[in-house]
Amino acid sequence: MAVTVLLLISYVLATILISCFGCFLCFMAYIHHLHKTTEHIPGPPRSSFIMGHLPDVWKYKAATGRTTGEYLLEKRFEYGPIFILYFVHRAIVFLGDSSYLRHVFINNHKSLCKDGFVWHKLGFVYGERGAGYGIVTNTDKVSWHKRRQVMNPAFHRKCLRDFMSNFNNVCGRFLARMDTVVDSGKATSMVLEFGKVTLEAISQVSFNINTHAIEHPDSPFPNAIRHYLRGVQDNIEIPVSTTLLTVFQFKVFQNATKKEQINATWFLRKFARDCILSRMKDIADDKTVPDDLLSLLIKDSSLSIDEISDEFLTIFIAGQETTANSLSFALYQIISNPHVEAKLLNEVNNVLGERDYVEFDDLAKLKYLGQVLEEGLRMYPVVSGPSMFVAKGLTVGGYYIPKGIGLNSLQQFFGMNPEIWKNPKVFDPERFANVENIPDFRMTHFPFSIGPRTCIGQAFAKFESKVILAKLLQKFQFKLLPGQTDRREARLTVTPRDGVMCDVARRE
């Protein structure tokens, strides 16, 4: 009997080993096939047959303290406007020419799809559902289009015009917060301060919710969002699927950081669900409810609570984080360039005078402020560019891109190109004074992406940014602490690594 059991165990183990070896051989054969079918595309040599260029990226980041985006920018200028990189079993072709972008993301967008392997990592943190399959991470074209149609009215310029009072009220609370900073005599991180006001703005306008993030230092939302985004970034950098990442749901595999990130995701998800259920009850009870994004999503009636929660958290997080980072980079350059600050103040004073309230019509008059914000986005794009994969073989720049290969681009490829912008490392808002004179401008400046899936909230972000910066600079002046730089940190979006630490004083 014992011999029979031993033989059975040996048979099972041998079968498992043979199966694993067979899977490994198939995997190696696939990687070889991937390399052979794309070897005609330019790119740096791989340092690893299996890992591809991942070790190169890791080595670059460890040696320089810079981001993956900055690594890719170096490769763009080293290998030209089209090059390929390999990340284990994924191959991505990067495009750095405006004609290539137009050909791919505009003229042939129907031949592209979003890659679930990558995009689903943005919606889940180690298996815990956060933004899920929201409008950013949704890879199903039909579902995405339907939801975009539902949400579009909430971000239309006419609708946003009605929310100018919300922008002003939130900004008024922000200025009161900055008064307390001045009175304390302590330096503060403007990245964190901007994160609070943009969080409150998106909460008030889209969901009619007060998170109290501006006034209350112990508000749980800023930390929860920060941990969530870092969790997403960590997931992206682990080259396995979201399904395999669920192993970290088991406590035995969690360290303190992973546990914190998972808990933050759970907290945000529960918050979204509670807000939705509360609004649904008010609607069912025939109470008067705000005509905002949350009501639009609920009244559509075709979305489940989980689907509404996906969209809630997508807008709640993305609408706060991206704008806060853009404002932080812009403020860093304003402080660093006194002539820019002087011209900006002159415009703000001419447009607003002694008024504290920014009218909708004031936004168009704040032209130089708009140029400052655009120049900040040119130098410091806070989100990645378009990222799709080829659903049907496509020829780009004379190179055939097989089905299943990724196609990406970065705003940095264009924003830092001296052939497009003279002295691209110099902060010069005047570049955007006459954009109609810039060749193929829409294909070389796309901080809100390009093609059908451009950012739904770009008008919101521009309105909000102008109100916040105009009122802030009207009342306060800033001085960077020694050692502050414009170095970047990636946590899904790109943020100033040093925090834009400032001493703050009231303007006389």
Side-chain angles (χ1 to χ4, degrees):
M1 180 66 179
V3 174
T4 303
V5 171
L6 286 173
L7 286 173
L8 180 61
I9 293 173
S10 299
Y11 176 77
V12 171
L13 288 175
T15 302
I16 292 172
L17 287 173
I18 292 171
S19 298
C20 290
F21 184 68
C23 290
F24 178 72
L25 287 179
C26 289
F27 180 69
M28 297 293 280
Y30 174 76
I31 291 180
H32 175 73
H33 171 73
L34 181 67
H35 294 168
K36 292 297 291 184
T37 56
T38 56
E39 63 183 2
H40 60 288
I41 304 171
R46 300 179 302 274
S47 60
S48 167
F49 177 81
I50 296 177
M51 300 298 285
H53 293 96
L54 267 179
D56 303 291
V57 176
W58 293 338
K59 183 178 179 180
Y60 171 87
K61 291 167 69 174
T64 65
R66 297 187 182 275
T67 63
T68 301
E70 289 168 297
Y71 170 84
L72 295 172
L73 180 62
E74 288 189 11
K75 299 308 166 189
R76 154 63 182 100
F77 290 122
E78 186 176 352
Y79 290 93
I82 182 168
F83 64 96
I84 190 168
L85 296 178
Y86 300 91
F87 303 96
V88 193
H89 62 298
R90 316 294 296 180
I92 301 176
V93 174
F94 293 89
L95 307 176
D97 183 278
S98 62
S99 64
Y100 297 169
L101 263 61
R102 185 176 297 279
H103 174 66
V104 171
F105 296 109
I106 303 298
N107 299 338
N108 287 282
H109 69 88
K110 292 183 179 179
S111 298
L112 308 175
C113 292
K114 275 204 167 186
D115 186 353
F117 179 85
V118 175
W119 286 99
H120 291 168
K121 290 188 176 188
L122 275 66
F124 294 80
V125 174
Y126 299 115
E128 190 71 36
R129 187 168 181 169
Y133 307 106
I135 194 170
V136 172
T137 55
N138 197 329
T139 58
D140 182 274
K141 289 185 177 181
V142 175
S143 172
W144 170 84
H145 185 265
K146 177 183 176 182
R147 295 196 197 182
R148 177 84 180 217
Q149 292 299 107
V150 171
M151 297 168 70
N152 271 338
F155 294 96
H156 193 278
R157 289 177 64 89
K158 291 181 179 178
C159 184
L160 293 176
R161 180 172 189 155
D162 295 335
F163 288 115
M164 284 301 294
S165 61
N166 297 75
F167 288 133
N168 276 277
N169 290 339
V170 169
C171 196
R173 290 165 54 195
F174 178 52
L175 297 184
R177 158 64 188 164
M178 296 311 297
D179 270 323
T180 65
V181 171
V182 173
D183 293 338
S184 73
K186 297 179 181 179
T188 190
S189 165
M190 290 309 297
V191 172
L192 297 181
E193 298 296 347
F194 280 135
K196 295 172 185 177
V197 66
T198 55
L199 174 61
E200 197 59 47
I202 195 69
S203 301
Q204 289 282 324
V205 172
S206 294
F207 310 112
N208 198 43
I209 296 165
N210 189 346
T211 65
H212 303 287
I214 295 174
E215 298 88 356
H216 295 178
D218 56 347
S219 171
F221 296 101
N223 277 338
I225 291 172
R226 185 162 58 254
H227 291 312
Y228 174 80
L229 291 171
R230 285 178 175 156
V232 170
Q233 184 67 35
D234 290 348
N235 280 211
I236 290 173
E237 293 180 357
I238 300 174
V240 299
S241 70
T242 51
T243 302
L244 292 177
L245 287 170
T246 58
V247 68
F248 293 105
Q249 286 283 311
F250 298 99
K251 291 184 179 180
V252 67
F253 296 111
Q254 293 177 9
N255 58 23
T257 299
K258 288 182 175 62
K259 183 177 180 181
E260 202 166 36
Q261 292 167 351
I262 291 171
N263 288 344
T265 308
W266 177 86
F267 167 78
L268 291 170
R269 189 76 184 183
K270 182 179 184 303
F271 169 72
R273 187 179 180 87
D274 289 346
C275 291
I276 293 163
L277 291 174
S278 176
R279 180 68 62 86
M280 291 177 75
K281 184 177 184 305
D282 288 344
I283 292 173
D285 293 342
D286 286 330
K287 292 183 179 179
T288 301
V289 296
D291 188 19
D292 57 12
L293 175 62
L294 182 55
S295 292
L296 280 177
L297 290 169
I298 293 172
K299 291 178 179 178
D300 178 70
S301 75
S302 67
L303 301 178
S304 68
I305 291 180
D306 271 338
E307 289 170 330
I308 298 173
S309 298
D310 289 346
E311 304 302 350
F312 183 109
L313 282 184
T314 296
I315 300 301
F316 184 74
I317 295 171
Q320 172 263 331
E321 176 75 5
T322 54
T323 307
N325 291 340
S326 297
L327 285 167
S328 300
F329 280 120
L331 181 63
Y332 175 88
Q333 286 293 351
I334 291 168
I335 301 168
S336 303
N337 292 275
H339 67 285
V340 172
E341 183 176 16
K343 185 171 182 178
L344 198 51
L345 282 172
N346 184 60
E347 179 182 75
V348 169
N349 290 331
N350 286 337
V351 173
L352 298 184
E354 298 297 320
R355 287 187 290 118
D356 290 329
Y357 192 95
V358 181
E359 302 283 357
F360 180 80
D361 292 339
D362 293 330
L363 299 179
K365 300 173 185 176
L366 294 168
K367 293 181 179 180
Y368 188 68
L369 176 53
Q371 294 169 28
V372 168
L373 292 168
E374 293 294 346
E375 177 69 344
L377 290 169
R378 177 193 69 81
M379 291 185 69
Y380 309 101
V382 299
V383 295
S384 60
S387 175
M388 309 289 275
F389 78 96
V390 182
K392 180 180 178 183
L394 192 63
T395 298
V396 184
Y399 297 98
Y400 179 72
I401 313 297
K403 177 182 177 181
I405 303 301
L407 280 173
N408 285 25
S409 188
L410 296 181
Q411 169 68 73
Q412 287 173 280
F413 292 170
F414 300 88
M416 301 308 293
N417 190 339
E419 295 180 3
I420 300 173
W421 307 100
K422 184 179 179 181
N423 299 322
K425 294 183 180 180
V426 174
F427 188 80
D428 180 13
E430 301 288 351
R431 302 177 196 274
F432 291 89
N434 295 294
V435 295
E436 61 273 8
N437 296 329
I438 301 173
D440 214 6
F441 177 69
R442 299 300 175 191
M443 291 293 108
T444 57
H445 184 68
F446 49 91
F448 297 95
S449 195
I450 53 177
R453 296 188 72 145
T454 52
C455 175
I456 193 172
Q458 59 181 298
F460 182 106
K462 290 179 179 181
F463 286 10
E464 174 188 17
S465 296
K466 279 192 172 183
V467 174
I468 291 173
L469 265 188
K471 297 184 72 168
L472 183 67
L473 294 172
Q474 186 185 41
K475 300 293 184 183
F476 299 97
Q477 55 187 5
F478 301 84
K479 181 181 179 182
L480 290 167
L481 295 191
Q484 287 293 297
T485 71
D486 63 345
R487 294 287 294 274
R488 308 162 203 227
E489 176 189 357
R491 58 181 195 204
L492 181 57
T493 60
V494 177
T495 188
R497 186 192 65 181
D498 298 333
V500 192
M501 294 294 299
C502 294
D503 285 322
V504 188
R506 296 182 184 88
R507 288 200 185 275
E508 296 179 357

